[in-house]
Amino acid sequence: MARRRIGFWYRLAVVVVKPLLLLFTKRDWRGTENIPTSGGFVTAVNHISYVDPLTYAHFQYDTGRVPRFLAKSGLFKIPFVGRVLAGAGQIPVYRDSADAALAFRAAVEAVEKGECVAVYPEGTITRDKTLWPMLGKTGAARIALTTGAPVIPVAQWGAHELLPPYTKRPRLLPRKTMRVLAGPPVDLDEFRGRELTADVLRGATDRIMESITELLVKLRDEPAPPNAGVRRGSGRKGAVEGAEGVEIEPTDAEPTDTKPTDTKPTDTETNGTAGTAGGRA
C-alpha cells in the first residue's frame, strides 16, 4: 500500500523507533486489509502497556496509513519529545474540560481531512487484573458519529510482555511477539443521524468495545469474561449481569504486582480521548 507523505518529524520518529522495534520484537500483523486505503477514519485500540502506542503505531505505519494520537498534554512539555509530537501532528489533550473540547475539535478536523485518528477508549492502561478491556469512554464514538467516519476496532497483545503494565523496566530478551489484529468497521448504523445523547454515545461505545474484545479473544485464544469492556447486562450473548470482577472502573484495585502512577482518572480519561502514553509513536 502506498504511504502518504508524513513530514519530517513523523519520519524522524520512524527512523529512530522502528529499527529498535525490529531489533527487539517479532511481529504478527493481521487484518491489515480492514484499514481503509482512503478517507478519514478512527481506530479504537485496547491499552495494555506504556509501550503499546509504539508497537501499535508500527503496525499502523506498515499499513500505509499513519495514525494521529490524542496524547496527554504533559508529553508535549518534555524537551525534544514534545517538539517531535507537535511536529508529527499529534493532538494534545488537557485536563481542563474546555481545552479537552479543543482536542475533540482537532480530532474531528483531522478525520474530515482524511486522516486516521487513534483513540484508546479506556482512557488509560487497563486495570483489569487479567488485562481484558475496561468500560470504554465515549470519545471514539463521539468523533465517529460527528464525522460519519468508520471506526476500525484494533486489538493488541504482547506489549505487556515487553513492558508490563505500570512499570518502566522493559524485558527485551527473549524477543517478544507483538500481535495486532484489526477488524472490519464497527456497525454503528443504528446510532448515526441521532442526537448525541448519553444513551446513544454509551450504546455506540459498548458496540465498539465489544468489537475490540472479540478481536482480543482471537489473539489470546481464550474466552473473555462476561461484560468485558461494556456496561453490566449489555455485553455479548451469555453475559451474566453483575458478574464479579469483569467490569473494573479506574478507581478499582490494580493488578497485584503493579502500581499505577495515577490512580485518579483525569478529565480527558473520562472522555476516553487520550491513552496513558498515547502519541509517543
Side-chain angles (χ1 to χ4, degrees), residues 133-136 202-211 213 225-236 239 246-249:
M134 300 187 297
L135 182 70
R202 173 47 49 195
T205 299
D206 283 352
R207 186 73 56 82
I208 292 169
M209 296 308 298
E210 285 178 342
S211 297
T213 302
N227 298 101
V230 299
R231 294 171 296 176
R232 299 185 189 279
S234 64
R236 54 202 57 79
V246 298
E247 183 182 303
I248 300 180
E249 292 290 343

Side-chain angles (χ1 to χ4, degrees), residues 6 25 54 65 71 88 101 140 146 148 199 211 216 220 272:
I6 60 177
T25 68
L54 298 180
R65 299 296 306 273
T146 298
D199 284 343
S211 297
L216 191 56
R220 295 178 59 163

Side-chain angles (χ1 to χ4, degrees), residues 177-221:
T177 300
M178 303 297 107
R179 296 180 169 86
V180 182
L181 172 59
V186 180
D187 183 2
L188 298 179
D189 286 351
E190 68 178 276
F191 305 105
R192 297 192 187 277
R194 298 168 59 182
E195 181 182 356
L196 299 185
T197 63
D199 284 343
V200 167
L201 290 171
R202 173 47 49 195
T205 299
D206 283 352
R207 186 73 56 82
I208 292 169
M209 296 308 298
E210 285 178 342
S211 297
I212 295 172
T213 302
E214 288 169 1
L215 295 173
L216 191 56
V217 165
K218 295 179 181 179
L219 287 183
R220 295 178 59 163
D221 195 24

Side-chain angles (χ1 to χ4, degrees), residues 13-24:
V14 171
V15 168
V16 172
V17 175
K18 187 174 180 179
L20 295 175
L21 294 175
L22 291 173
L23 177 63
F24 289 112

Side-chain angles (χ1 to χ4, degrees), residues 42-271:
V42 177
T43 57
V45 193
N46 66 310
H47 201 359
I48 56 176
S49 168
Y50 286 134
V51 79
D52 69 37
L54 298 180
T55 55
Y56 160 68
H58 188 187
F59 163 84
Q60 189 72 40
Y61 179 82
D62 283 354
T63 71
R65 299 296 306 273
V66 296
R68 286 186 65 181
F69 286 93
L70 282 85
K72 287 186 176 180
S73 60
L75 295 173
F76 290 78
K77 299 177 182 179
I78 301 174
F80 184 70
V81 172
R83 181 69 186 91
V84 172
L85 292 177
Q90 309 310 307
I91 302 171
V93 180
Y94 300 87
R95 294 176 66 97
D96 181 79
S97 58
D99 288 333
L102 293 176
F104 168 74
R105 287 198 290 272
V108 168
E109 290 174 1
V111 171
E112 290 177 340
K113 290 179 181 177
E115 299 186 63
C116 165
V117 171
V119 177
Y120 287 105
E122 297 164 272
T124 188
I125 294 174
T126 181
R127 290 178 168 89
D128 181 87
K129 293 181 180 180
T130 53
L131 302 184
W132 288 101
M134 300 187 297
L135 182 70
K137 313 304 189 253
T138 61
R142 187 181 294 271
I143 296 169
L145 295 178
T146 298
T147 61
V151 176
I152 306 300
V154 180
Q156 55 182 337
W157 192 244
H160 64 293
E161 297 176 344
L162 180 63
L163 184 66
Y166 298 107
T167 64
K168 297 181 180 180
R169 180 175 297 179
R171 300 172 181 174
L172 300 179
L173 298 175
R175 294 169 71 202
K176 312 300 189 297
T177 300
M178 303 297 107
R179 296 180 169 86
V180 182
L181 172 59
V186 180
D187 183 2
L188 298 179
D189 286 351
E190 68 178 276
F191 305 105
R192 297 192 187 277
R194 298 168 59 182
E195 181 182 356
L196 299 185
T197 63
D199 284 343
V200 167
L201 290 171
R202 173 47 49 195
T205 299
D206 283 352
R207 186 73 56 82
I208 292 169
M209 296 308 298
E210 285 178 342
S211 297
I212 295 172
T213 302
E214 288 169 1
L215 295 173
L216 191 56
V217 165
K218 295 179 181 179
L219 287 183
R220 295 178 59 163
D221 195 24
E222 60 179 302
N227 298 101
V230 299
R231 294 171 296 176
R232 299 185 189 279
S234 64
R236 54 202 57 79
K237 292 181 179 180
V240 179
E241 184 170 357
E244 184 177 355
V246 298
E247 183 182 303
I248 300 180
E249 292 290 343
T251 53
D252 285 358
E254 315 302 333
T256 55
D257 59 349
T258 62
K259 184 178 181 180
T261 56
D262 182 5
T263 57
K264 291 184 67 178
T266 66
D267 291 338
T268 55
E269 287 174 346
T270 302
N271 290 327

